[in-house]
Amino acid sequence: MCAVRKCGYFQEKEKCQRHLQSNELQSLTACDSAVCWVSMGLTKQYLRYAASAVFGVIGSQKANIAFVTLRGGEKGRYVAVAACEHVFIWDVRKAEKVLILQGNKQEVTYLCPSPDGVHIAVGYEDGAVRIFSLLNGESNVSFSGHKSAVTVIKYDALGARLVTGSRDTDVIVWDVINECGLYRLKGHKDAITQALFLKDKNLLVTSSKDTFVKWWDLDTQHCFKTMVGHRSEVWGMVLLNQEGRLLTGSADSELRAWDIHYLQAGKEIGEPKVKKVKGLLDEDEEGEEGLDEEPEERILSCEKAGSILREARDRVVSMTTDAKAKVLACHGTDSVLEVFSVLPQEEVKKRMEKKLKKAKKKAKLQGGEEAVEPVVERKLGDEILRLASIKASAKIRWVDCLLSPNGEMKVALLLQNNTIETYTLKTTEKSPQANKTSRLTLSGHRADARTLAFSSDNIAILSASAETVKVWNRSTLQVIRTMACEYALCSLFVPGDRQIILGTKSGKIQIFDLASGRLLETTDAHSGEVWSISLSPDQRGIVTGGADKTVKFWDFELVKDLESGQNKRLTVKHTRTLQLDEDVLCVRYSPDQRLLAVSLLDCTVKIFYTDTLKFFLSLYGHKLPVLCLDISHDSTLIATGSADRNVKIWGLDFGDCHKSMFAHDDSVMFLQFVPKTHLFFTAGKDKKIKQWDADKFEHIQTLEGHHREVWCLSISPSGDYVVSSSHDKSLRLWERTREPIILEEEKEMEREAEFEESLAKGEDPVVPGETKGEAAPAGKKTIETVKAAERIMEALELYREESKKLEEHRAACEAAGKQLPPPKMNPLLMVFGNILPSRYVLEVIKKVKSSELEVSLLVLPFPYIPNLLSLFNQFIQDGLEVELVCRCLFFLLRVHFGQITSNQMLLPVIDSLKSNTISKVQEIRDVLGFNTAGLQFLQREIESKEDVMFFADATGRLDEKKRKRRKRERAILTIA
């Protein structure tokens, strides 16, 4: 565009040159348009589009839903769901978004709140795990160990450890406090579906799609038991009865129960349990009971206790319990949630006593005095009771539940149609009914938005899907209007922005009034789908193209009828029809209204004169149908995007193809020029949006963010905003910034990104001395660990150079017999406050993330290790970061044990390290022990003064008090 607005011409080099020669322009800067001519060789300058917001998505189906507490608020009020790469915290009572946990690029795949409710762990598609604070929404801890998507995350009871499972079949245990990986457990052959810590034992149980359930001893980091009693994938797993029972869900309608017996030296701990037999709800399959890979039991044994039949016949999608495992919620691929109650042992005993009394009474009536003592067998159905079935409005994808002390159960459902529903259930009632308490639907479509449009003032955004059309405020991203419609395929704002027009799958044109939010008119336009709609440049009518091989012209009219009353309402009047030989996929007017471009199913684009509808040009060259096209503002260029993944730029004068460009890795779904420029955007099924220059035939930038196919986009009339819609149910807003794009730098950055990605994808370094077994190091090689290792090597090089300078300076002073001026210090040391070179090395090591420290040290070549060991000895002597230095020291000694022990030069260093490390670590242990004893003393003093127990679970005592009060009341009533 001309940098001087006086001439009114765009992209005219001569005009710009004339302004420069006449000194009308003192200095050329980037103008408000997307491209301007600058004086330095008259090269083009482009402005960058950046991601502004994600909206329209309530909850992504890829990750689960979880109840969270915010700032000590009411439990059951807030839920966390994934929204593409972000995490949204919704207030279900107000139906408002209260917090957004910002992600990077990868899609969220799993959520797990911490036991204290302050943090939430988030797993991503690339295998990374980040821990966010729910107080401020920031993430300070991140782990990178998996090579593919995280499928499960669980905290232990204290929240100090985290276990993650992934599609790469590995299970990794992380230390949350120390922010590092502990170990990787290998053994499964397919994606991990569940992982659970056992509270009192240092054990872990995992399930996988490989049909196995494995038990792991975390002390020795090995699998000591594999349960093979499933015929298909194990999709869900929960622990019940204070971890005395395991319940698994598979690909059939059975929930299998397994009794856990802990063993010690080959004998069971505690009283022997009564053997369970199958009951009315049970269905035992031949050959399943007692199946085990190892006949010799070591730590625990598992016996099948029966199974519960679900109402649904399909596979289990997810299973969950409340925190105390008193209720169980389970669902399949349908819209029904089944809720079960897990009775405590006291309640089960009472039920069994009642059954025994009934059996004795029945036996006495039947056999008289000589009746045989009846035996009542305990069944699984006596312990797990079916409470209720909750019917949701659509298929359920994920569930989470919460049980309050008064027996009220809160259930949150994430549905497959981008909806969240919450229910309450009174578990104390005999036949409880579920009550729907909230439904979040307003902030998104139930299906993909297939068409978008901007209003003429750049403020309103229209999006339409299979069931509703919504109008959004661009600045606040809030829904202004929601109106029910048919399956919409194309749309536009009527001039004046008071009405909108939709073209539907059934061949109708629907006109809506935005002020009243009602449907004004439905017109039968085509006998097939209305694939495209275009506003005439004179703004007096529209043209539509449909699957019935016709292009129809319509004029706007204002009419009066009974519905509109005194006011006139808008309607469209059919004026002309253009009959063609193939289905019409897209139609566009040229901005001068001289030509009409029509793309057909035969892979060609036909150009007609608008006034006479005579044929002008045929553009052929695409191998597959042209799905989208657009004409530039000056009516000189037409760009076409096809299912053959190519974009072709044609001249409208003679129909010659200027350039054919390979644009996307899949079909090009949408194409539109930026107003008043020769730049255009394309959207493809490869999840990307790209910007192109139609004059220089160059790719300018790629907008990445969507996680599924991009269906359509719309550019605001000012060109400052782009909005796009995708199969991931999200709408994304992109905003033009003032940052210029230099194409050479963009290409260089793309090459660097590809190189870094290939570097990180290389084989992980092998730890010397490590044998291939079930346990392995938790970390993995990433570009961050490689950069951290490079920074450590650079710091050691600087330390060597500075140490050499100081030695030379000392020798020169001794030779001269006087103090010479000190050598010039390295600028890096000056930045850190004139610190010593050794302290600079420590600062660099401290800045390496705790979770990446071991892998970064593993990459270091051995020639740097002697210097590091000498520095570590110095740091420990001075008492600097003893814990961190010892961690690095022990890791390096384990990794380079052979080379260190064979190096005689390192012998004095190792001896010194041995004595210094033992003494310093003992000092720290003494300080910790003293502080712990002091805190315990203070706790005892406060407890004795105020008669308050700290850190104790008070709920059990409260129940006991209630039980005693009820007994007293019952005794008083009996006496009365």
Side-chain angles (χ1 to χ4, degrees):
M1 174 186 172
C2 176
V4 180
R5 298 297 180 86
K6 296 176 183 177
C7 63
Y9 285 92
F10 294 89
Q11 296 181 338
E12 290 287 338
K13 298 182 185 179
E14 294 78 10
K15 296 285 181 183
C16 292
Q17 190 66 28
R18 195 182 308 151
H19 291 307
L20 288 170
Q21 291 172 356
S22 60
N23 294 324
E24 290 184 24
L25 187 63
Q26 297 299 324
S27 62
L28 276 169
T29 57
C31 60
D32 292 336
S33 178
V35 59
C36 60
W37 293 98
V38 292
S39 58
M40 294 296 291
L42 293 178
T43 59
K44 276 189 181 181
Q45 180 174 297
Y46 309 100
L47 297 182
R48 186 182 301 280
Y49 283 81
S52 177
V54 180
F55 61 105
V57 58
I58 296 173
S60 298
Q61 282 78 49
K62 213 162 191 183
N64 59 316
I65 186 171
F67 278 111
V68 294
T69 53
L70 286 184
R71 303 174 186 89
E74 178 188 346
K75 286 189 176 181
R77 181 170 178 177
Y78 304 101
V79 294
V81 291
C84 298
E85 69 270 25
H86 306 307
V87 177
F88 288 171
I89 311 294
W90 291 94
D91 183 342
V92 293
R93 186 179 296 173
K94 295 182 179 178
E96 288 180 357
K97 201 185 302 173
V98 292
L99 185 63
I100 299 176
L101 308 179
Q102 297 283 345
N104 295 324
K105 285 184 179 179
Q106 300 296 329
E107 198 171 5
V108 175
T109 55
Y110 205 87
L111 306 173
C112 180
S114 62
D116 58 5
V118 179
H119 298 92
I120 184 169
V122 182
Y124 293 91
E125 182 76 25
D126 62 346
V129 178
R130 296 174 68 191
I131 298 178
F132 289 87
S133 168
L134 291 173
L135 301 175
N136 53 20
E138 294 180 359
S139 169
N140 297 321
V141 183
S142 62
F143 301 124
S144 181
H146 292 292
K147 294 180 180 177
S148 56
V150 176
T151 53
V152 64
I153 303 174
K154 281 291 181 291
Y155 277 94
D156 67 354
L158 295 175
R161 288 182 301 175
L162 194 71
V163 61
T164 59
S166 168
R167 278 210 300 260
D168 63 5
T169 74
D170 289 347
V171 177
I172 301 179
V173 181
W174 308 89
D175 185 344
V176 176
I177 297 170
N178 202 24
E179 299 178 14
C180 67
L182 295 177
Y183 36 80
R184 181 192 304 266
L185 303 174
K186 298 181 177 182
H188 283 292
K189 301 288 187 258
D190 208 335
I192 310 298
T193 55
Q194 187 60 279
L196 300 169
F197 282 106
L198 274 72
K199 289 180 185 175
D200 302 327
K201 309 279 183 181
N202 195 23
L203 303 177
L204 179 73
V205 56
T206 59
S207 64
S208 169
K209 287 168 69 176
D210 61 3
T211 75
F212 298 141
V213 175
K214 286 182 177 286
W215 294 82
W216 305 84
D217 185 353
L218 298 184
D219 291 326
T220 58
Q221 299 158 26
H222 81 287
C223 173
F224 64 89
K225 186 176 184 61
T226 300
M227 295 167 56
V228 293
H230 299 87
R231 301 270 177 90
S232 54
E233 298 96 334
V234 182
W235 290 102
M237 181 174 63
V238 291
L239 286 166
L240 305 175
N241 295 353
Q242 296 178 346
E243 301 180 348
R245 172 165 293 151
L246 186 71
L247 201 68
T248 57
S250 189
D252 50 22
S253 58
E254 277 190 73
L255 297 180
R256 293 169 177 81
W258 310 81
D259 277 342
I260 305 168
H261 306 291
Y262 297 103
L263 308 173
Q264 189 172 11
K267 296 180 181 179
E268 288 192 20
I269 299 172
E271 293 293 326
K273 297 192 177 180
V274 180
K275 186 182 177 183
K276 315 302 189 287
V277 298
K278 59 178 183 175
L280 295 175
L281 289 172
D282 302 349
E283 183 180 294
D284 198 4
E285 291 186 12
E286 186 180 350
E288 280 193 350
E289 198 166 329
L291 282 177
D292 202 308
E293 195 182 42
E294 298 179 11
E296 183 187 351
E297 306 289 354
R298 294 198 180 108
I299 298 173
L300 56 81
S301 65
C302 281
E303 293 179 3
K304 188 170 181 186
S307 58
I308 302 172
L309 282 179
R310 298 187 298 120
E311 290 177 353
R313 295 297 174 196
D314 51 0
R315 76 172 180 88
V316 171
V317 173
S318 72
M319 295 170 62
T320 186
T321 63
D322 66 306
K324 297 287 181 64
K326 291 182 179 179
V327 289
L328 166 71
C330 173
H331 70 91
T333 55
D334 55 5
S335 59
V336 177
L337 177 75
E338 298 177 57
V339 182
F340 300 89
S341 175
V342 183
L343 298 181
Q345 292 299 322
E346 297 83 6
E347 191 73 26
V348 175
K349 283 179 183 178
K350 286 180 184 178
R351 289 174 66 89
M352 296 309 295
E353 286 172 4
K354 284 182 182 178
K355 275 194 172 186
L356 188 59
K357 281 182 184 178
K358 284 183 181 179
K360 283 181 179 179
K361 193 174 180 182
K362 189 176 180 182
K364 195 173 182 181
L365 289 171
Q366 289 178 352
E369 296 295 332
E370 298 178 358
V372 181
E373 184 72 19
V375 178
V376 178
E377 294 174 338
R378 188 163 149 183
K379 305 170 186 176
L380 189 62
D382 296 321
E383 302 178 35
I384 302 174
L385 304 179
R386 190 186 303 277
L387 267 184
S389 294
I390 300 174
K391 176 74 174 175
S393 60
K395 288 183 178 179
I396 303 171
R397 188 64 189 88
W398 296 98
V399 62
D400 195 21
C401 62
L402 200 67
L403 189 65
S404 54
N406 62 359
E408 186 184 52
M409 179 186 178
K410 295 181 179 178
V411 179
L413 301 177
L414 176 62
L415 308 182
Q416 286 193 352
N417 64 348
N418 198 26
T419 305
I420 294 174
E421 290 183 350
T422 58
Y423 295 83
T424 57
L425 198 70
K426 284 285 185 182
T427 57
T428 52
E429 297 175 0
K430 284 190 177 179
S431 55
Q433 294 294 322
N435 299 316
K436 188 185 290 187
T437 53
S438 64
R439 188 166 185 255
L440 274 63
T441 59
L442 189 64
S443 302
H445 289 282
R446 308 284 72 74
D448 301 349
R450 299 305 296 259
T451 176
L452 296 167
F454 259 104
S455 62
S456 60
D457 56 4
N458 308 296
I459 292 177
I461 299 172
L462 178 153
S463 65
S465 67
E467 81 297 328
T468 54
V469 54
K470 291 179 181 287
V471 180
W472 309 76
N473 185 312
R474 178 191 51 76
S475 56
T476 63
L477 302 178
Q478 297 297 316
V479 180
I480 303 169
R481 285 282 181 273
T482 299
M483 297 160 283
C485 68
E486 294 187 20
Y487 198 122
L489 295 175
C490 50
S491 63
L492 56 80
F493 276 91
V494 176
D497 297 334
R498 294 187 178 184
Q499 295 89 14
I500 58 173
I501 297 180
L502 301 181
T504 68
K505 197 174 183 179
S506 59
K508 297 181 176 63
I509 293 175
Q510 292 187 313
I511 304 175
F512 292 86
D513 181 57
L514 290 183
S516 61
R518 64 188 181 90
L519 177 65
L520 294 180
E521 185 181 76
T522 300
T523 305
D524 291 323
H526 295 267
S527 57
E529 296 91 340
V530 181
W531 287 116
S532 183
I533 188 169
S534 179
L535 181 68
S536 64
D538 60 6
Q539 300 188 343
R540 293 182 179 180
I542 57 172
V543 60
T544 59
D548 58 354
K549 305 178 183 178
T550 59
V551 174
K552 294 188 178 181
F553 296 81
W554 310 79
D555 284 346
F556 294 135
E557 282 192 350
L558 294 172
V559 296
K560 277 188 179 182
D561 55 15
L562 294 175
E563 291 182 6
S564 61
Q566 296 296 323
N567 300 323
K568 293 183 178 181
R569 69 169 179 84
L570 182 73
T571 183
V572 287
K573 180 185 176 184
H574 180 219
T575 56
R576 293 185 295 172
T577 300
L578 175 62
Q579 186 66 44
L580 296 161
D581 299 330
E582 295 286 344
D583 291 10
V584 177
L585 299 179
C586 190
V587 292
R588 282 292 181 274
Y589 273 113
S590 64
D592 58 6
Q593 206 169 340
R594 190 173 67 93
L595 302 172
L596 180 74
V598 182
S599 74
L600 303 176
L601 200 61
D602 62 359
C603 311
T604 63
V605 177
K606 300 283 194 294
I607 312 293
F608 299 90
Y609 289 105
T610 306
D611 49 0
T612 61
L613 297 185
K614 285 185 178 179
F615 175 75
F616 173 48
L617 291 170
S618 178
L619 311 178
Y620 54 90
H622 284 290
K623 296 176 182 177
L624 291 172
V626 176
L627 304 177
C628 51
L629 60 88
D630 199 16
I631 301 174
S632 62
H633 69 282
D634 53 6
S635 303
T636 58
L637 296 176
I638 178 171
T640 58
S642 167
D644 63 7
R645 303 178 290 178
N646 290 314
V647 167
K648 293 182 185 290
I649 300 168
W650 317 75
L652 269 180
D653 294 333
F654 308 104
D656 54 325
C657 180
H658 292 180
K659 186 72 173 178
S660 178
M661 298 179 290
F662 182 78
H664 291 270
D665 296 327
D666 209 331
S667 301
V668 183
M669 299 302 297
F670 205 87
L671 184 151
Q672 188 176 350
F673 274 98
V674 179
K676 300 180 181 178
T677 70
H678 279 186
L679 307 180
F680 63 92
F681 281 92
T682 59
K685 277 189 175 181
D686 60 353
K687 314 173 192 177
K688 294 177 183 176
I689 299 168
K690 295 185 178 182
Q691 188 184 17
W692 308 83
D693 186 347
D695 287 331
K696 291 195 166 187
F697 318 123
E698 284 185 321
H699 171 224
I700 300 169
Q701 65 175 327
T702 301
L703 305 180
E704 292 183 347
H706 283 294
H707 301 284
R708 297 289 182 278
E709 300 93 330
V710 184
W711 296 128
C712 56
L713 60 85
S714 181
I715 304 174
S716 64
S718 64
D720 289 332
Y721 300 97
V722 177
V723 65
S724 56
S725 167
S726 168
H727 187 44
D728 60 14
K729 301 277 195 311
S730 70
L731 303 176
R732 289 178 183 265
L733 186 67
W734 314 83
E735 187 175 355
R736 187 165 60 198
T737 63
R738 305 295 298 172
E739 179 189 353
I741 293 178
I742 298 157
L743 296 182
E744 289 75 13
E745 287 185 5
E746 288 292 305
K747 292 173 184 175
E748 183 65 29
M749 286 168 64
E750 284 180 13
R751 284 194 292 269
E752 284 180 7
E754 287 176 5
F755 172 73
E756 289 178 356
E757 191 176 345
S758 64
L759 191 68
K761 280 183 178 178
E763 290 187 3
D764 290 337
V766 179
V767 180
E770 291 282 347
T771 57
K772 286 190 176 182
E774 291 175 337
K780 73 167 184 178
K781 182 182 174 184
T782 62
I783 189 61
E784 285 78 18
T785 59
V786 174
K787 287 181 177 178
E790 287 176 354
R791 287 195 295 270
I792 295 172
M793 287 190 282
E794 287 170 2
L796 288 170
E797 291 285 354
L798 187 145
Y799 167 73
R800 288 175 179 174
E801 290 174 5
E802 293 298 314
S803 300
K804 190 176 178 182
K805 280 185 188 176
L806 290 174
E807 286 177 7
E808 291 174 354
H809 177 258
R810 197 179 298 114
C813 290
E814 289 176 0
K818 61 178 180 177
Q819 188 67 30
L820 297 174
K824 190 176 180 182
M825 189 175 285
N826 192 293
L828 282 173
L829 302 179
M830 296 170 67
V831 168
F832 279 83
N834 296 330
I835 61 173
L836 294 172
S838 58
R839 292 295 299 272
Y840 173 69
V841 176
L842 182 61
E843 291 295 324
V844 171
I845 294 174
K846 279 166 62 178
K847 287 186 177 180
V848 179
K849 286 184 180 178
S850 181
S851 59
E852 299 169 355
L853 185 60
E854 277 87 357
V855 185
S856 301
L857 292 172
L858 192 59
V859 178
L860 285 178
F862 183 75
Y864 291 96
I865 304 303
N867 292 112
L868 263 182
L869 294 178
S870 303
L871 287 171
F872 287 166
N873 189 24
Q874 184 182 333
F875 297 151
I876 292 172
Q877 279 181 342
D878 298 339
L880 299 172
E881 303 289 340
V882 176
E883 188 179 348
L884 174 66
V885 171
C886 285
R887 181 182 163 192
C888 298
L889 172 64
F890 298 152
F891 180 77
L892 290 176
L893 288 175
R894 191 170 77 250
V895 169
H896 301 285
F897 179 78
Q899 288 174 293
I900 290 172
T901 51
S902 61
N903 192 336
Q904 295 294 323
M905 303 290 292
L906 290 175
L907 191 59
V909 179
I910 298 298
D911 283 338
S912 178
L913 274 169
K914 179 182 176 182
S915 57
N916 291 333
T917 304
I918 292 172
S919 61
K920 284 294 178 182
V921 170
Q922 188 61 46
E923 284 178 20
I924 293 173
R925 289 180 65 183
D926 292 342
V927 171
L928 285 174
F930 181 83
N931 291 341
T932 306
L935 289 171
Q936 288 173 350
F937 172 75
L938 289 173
Q939 179 186 341
R940 288 193 298 271
E941 287 290 311
I942 295 170
E943 285 175 358
S944 61
K945 283 181 182 178
E946 301 184 6
D947 196 21
V948 174
M949 289 296 288
F950 278 82
F951 313 118
D953 190 4
T955 55
R957 249 175 273 177
L958 185 65
D959 293 340
E960 189 66 29
K961 283 182 181 178
K962 286 181 180 178
R963 204 175 294 115
K964 286 180 181 177
R965 193 183 301 122
R966 281 198 296 268
K967 278 185 181 179
R968 282 199 302 270
E969 290 172 356
R970 211 175 291 123
I972 292 166
L973 286 171
T974 307
I975 293 166

